[in-house]
Amino acid sequence: MQRTEAPDNRPGQQPAEIHRPNRRGFLALAAGTGAAVALGGLPAFTASAAPQRPTASPLLSTADAAKNQLWWQAPGSANSMINQGLPVGNGRLSALASNDPSSELLMITDASLWTGGLNDTLTDDGQFPYGRDDFGSLTLLAQLTVAIPDHDLGNVNNYRRTLDLAQGLVGATYDVSGVTYQRQIFASRPDDSIVLYFSQHGGGTYTGTITLAGTHSETTTADSAGRYASFGATLGNGLKYGAATTAYSSTGKVLVNGTTITFSGCKDLTVVFSGGTDYAPDSAAGYRNPSVDPQALARTKVLAAARHSANTLLHTHVADFLPLSGQLDIDLGASSAAQRELDTWDRLQARWRDNVPDPELEAAYLQFSRYLMISGSRAGSLPMGLQGGWLDGNDPDWMGDYHTDINIQMNYWATDRVGLSDQFDALTDYCLAQLPDWSDLTQRLFNTPTNRYRNSSGKIAGWTVAISTNPYGGGGWWWHPAGNAWLCLSLFEHYEFTQDRAYLEKIYPLLKGAVQFWEARLITTTVTDASGASREVLINDSDWSPEQGPLDAKGITYAQELVWNLFGNYHTATTELGRDAAYRATIDGLRARLYLPVVSPTSGWLEEWMSPDNLGETTHRHLSPLIGLFPGDRIRPDDSTPKDILAGATALLTARGMTSFGWAQAWRSLCWSRLKDSEKAYQEVVNNLKPSVNGGNGSAQNLFDIYEVSQGDGIFQIESNFGTAAAIIEMLLYSRPGHVELLPALPAAWAAAGSISGVGVRGGFVADLSWKNGKVIQVTLKSVGGSSTTLVCNGSSRQISVRTGQSVTLRNL
């Protein structure tokens, strides 16, 4: 057993170098937002330069912090962490915290701790295997427990736990025997660590144990100098991983003993955790970085962080987090005093039970979604899949993968819209890293004779994906021919927001490869219109309209719309970049011949298949045939869309119904927004705020969206949290390059007065606007690359011109 004692108990330091934490605790620190500090991104889990420390306090005042807090009256249960645990994350490391006074539990995930591999051996039906051993699964990295036996809930009074959405902090305060204890938990991007800080007011102390445990039967040990506890191991696929933790205090004793760190008589306690894998986003290197020893690196990172006081670590974290969270502000109106008095879970239940609008809660839901995006998606890290980075076990449903027929796209619909364009980089980085394997698998395996989706022409080029993808270039479930076009739609839309030419160059290989795939795949058929005239058109080969109907339908609306967008975006990209003019002309010719959907004379709906009959479920969760309404915008309520097509799309959306899974309701809300039906769009947002009880669809206590698998059994799927945020924005602002419309679907619940600032606008702008009695009273457009656009508000339109970096403000509209 190794021993360290105060005041010399900071790991790896001499006494003179100790920085004692502020014993008043974080909430009493000086106010002030300070200056934004530029802090570099961290590529995967690698050694990095020491982070730049802020020179002034970046922390919000206590009053300002309270405006951005969610709160609860009880801790989370260790048996229900996915519903009750509060999330923290730095884009790579993520954790759910219980905030139990006597047993703080963190369930920690590294985004790259995946089993499985390339998965390039097809099954007899020409599809990919889809299991935890072949395709693989995201898994937990570690569990960290801080046990404080004297703080049993039976001895605790005035308990309150909080989630500070602006500063990226999870906290709890409570009283025991007249002493107020508090804790703060955050996942620092600059220090690449998770930090727990325990403090108190009134002369109390902490005594207990810290336990670090792996989730794959690893053995945790202490180092010989007693500085940390750590473990390291290798998955069956060869992926190495490791984790480490250390602790220190300005008083009392801290001892490291094998799997446990003990502490006693500590007026304050800081616990630091780090860990990761040797994953690298490099196909040529087998997605491994052989120079990384994850266990050794985790030890290095926790010791480096532990050289600083908890206050210094906090300031560094907030200096990184706050500038991102502060890029958008929203006010949807005032809630009542009675609503404000309720904790978050009671408030959620009251909103649904009483059916009374709660504008501040609805705005907080948007900010919670932004909090998850900042915490879960950073450049150089893997993107978020079905559950983001937050797991409560090693067996997430659908392996926690990247579904390319809605999940990964919906996860990133909101980023540019809510002022978090940089958070989109994780998706771009992922697609670029996977492209070599996606191309190889497509060209080697897609035309396998048993694949029902193969190209009947026998031609093959470019790349596509499966419905499920992993981080090793591998696919799962079934081939998804149009998945490439949908990914490219998301990638190109990011360019429309940013107008970043260097980014367009970066994604060009993805665009061109997808175009080449479709050039080889499209087949010719003859159609006859209502007048009896016949013409030849190009259609998609045998395919499935996700996720219903026949498996061999040709010309499905879903694919036709996506390819129409893909070819159009490719035209824009080649024009902007001055590349491949001859090939652009070829693709323009194909686009002109694409079949576009018509309205069924039988149902009056926009056809999902090239058939007047509905070949699937009327109320199916997916809106695959409406992809031209959202996220595409070929179908829109103006003179550019034939009235019968608009009516058919509206009729189909109506038939799908208003109730479904959370992500499906978010998509419905977005479509109703595009149709300018404000009350239906708002109702779908309200539907997603419905409290989830016994695994039912809706929002859990921690606001995670729950997907009901069966009665009494629900799972977390994160895309609804992001899709709902995108829907709120689309109700307030619609844009496409060259066109901005304000308050296109403003519901009555928000109409009295409100404002929003920092909204991304396609075409290269950022908008701030305010309204009163349903009318815009002021708008500012700042150019981030755009030069002119048509602005539509209050029933009139005007042309706006502005230079990059400058802004124009219109008042008294």
Side-chain angles (χ1 to χ4, degrees), residues 48-71:
S48 57
Q52 182 179 347
R53 305 292 175 183
T55 56
S57 172
L59 300 184
L60 295 175
S61 67
T62 301
D64 286 340
K67 295 176 184 177
N68 297 282
Q69 283 185 354
L70 304 173
W71 70 282

Side-chain angles (χ1 to χ4, degrees), residues 725-786:
I728 291 171
I729 297 298
E730 284 276 331
M731 294 160 73
L732 304 178
L733 185 149
Y734 161 73
S735 67
R736 62 181 185 272
H739 183 95
V740 184
E741 186 168 356
L742 306 181
L743 307 184
L746 181 70
W750 304 340
S755 63
I756 188 167
S757 61
V759 181
V761 175
R762 291 162 68 192
F765 299 92
V766 172
D768 304 341
L769 64 138
S770 56
W771 63 90
K772 188 173 183 179
N773 297 324
K775 298 292 185 181
V776 178
I777 57 176
Q778 180 171 309
V779 58
T780 297
L781 280 182
K782 179 180 179 180
S783 171
V784 294

Side-chain angles (χ1 to χ4, degrees), residues 334-336 339 351 355-359 362 682 749-750:
S335 298
S336 69
Q339 288 169 326
R351 172 65 185 88
N355 196 26
V356 174
D358 188 344
E362 291 148 16
Y682 176 66
W750 304 340

Side-chain angles (χ1 to χ4, degrees), residues 567-614:
F567 286 178
N569 292 339
Y570 182 71
H571 175 98
T572 301
T574 54
T575 302
E576 291 295 321
L577 299 176
R579 299 174 62 168
D580 291 332
Y583 191 51
R584 174 175 68 235
T586 297
I587 299 307
D588 288 347
L590 297 180
R591 189 178 194 240
R593 297 170 57 200
L594 278 175
Y595 172 79
L596 293 174
V598 298
V599 174
S600 165
T602 303
S603 65
W605 307 340
L606 190 71
E607 291 182 355
E608 183 163 359
W609 300 271
M610 288 184 70
S611 168
D613 300 323
N614 177 31

Side-chain angles (χ1 to χ4, degrees), residues 657-716:
M658 294 288 290
T659 58
S660 188
F661 302 107
W663 61 263
Q665 291 178 159
W667 197 355
R668 283 158 170 74
S669 179
L670 284 154
C671 286
W672 284 120
S673 292
R674 286 286 171 91
L675 293 173
K676 302 184 181 181
D677 191 322
S678 58
E679 298 312 315
K680 283 189 174 67
Y682 176 66
Q683 184 59 52
E684 293 289 27
V685 171
V686 173
N687 289 349
N688 276 350
L689 290 174
K690 176 184 178 181
S692 172
V693 179
N694 296 325
N697 293 324
S699 290
Q701 292 185 34
N702 59 6
L703 295 189
F704 278 176
D705 185 79
I706 301 301
Y707 176 115
E708 185 174 12
V709 179
S710 59
Q711 189 169 5
D713 182 18
I715 63 172
F716 168 43

Side-chain angles (χ1 to χ4, degrees), residues 409-426:
Q409 293 93 341
M410 184 179 280
N411 280 355
Y412 288 88
W413 281 349
T415 49
D416 291 291
R417 290 174 170 85
V418 300
L420 294 173
S421 288
D422 288 349
Q423 274 45 63
F424 192 90
D425 289 346

Side-chain angles (χ1 to χ4, degrees), residues 517-535:
F517 174 85
W518 282 98
E519 181 189 18
R521 178 167 173 77
L522 292 171
I523 59 176
T524 302
T525 193
T526 300
V527 296
T528 303
D529 63 24
S531 68
S534 298
R535 60 190 174 94

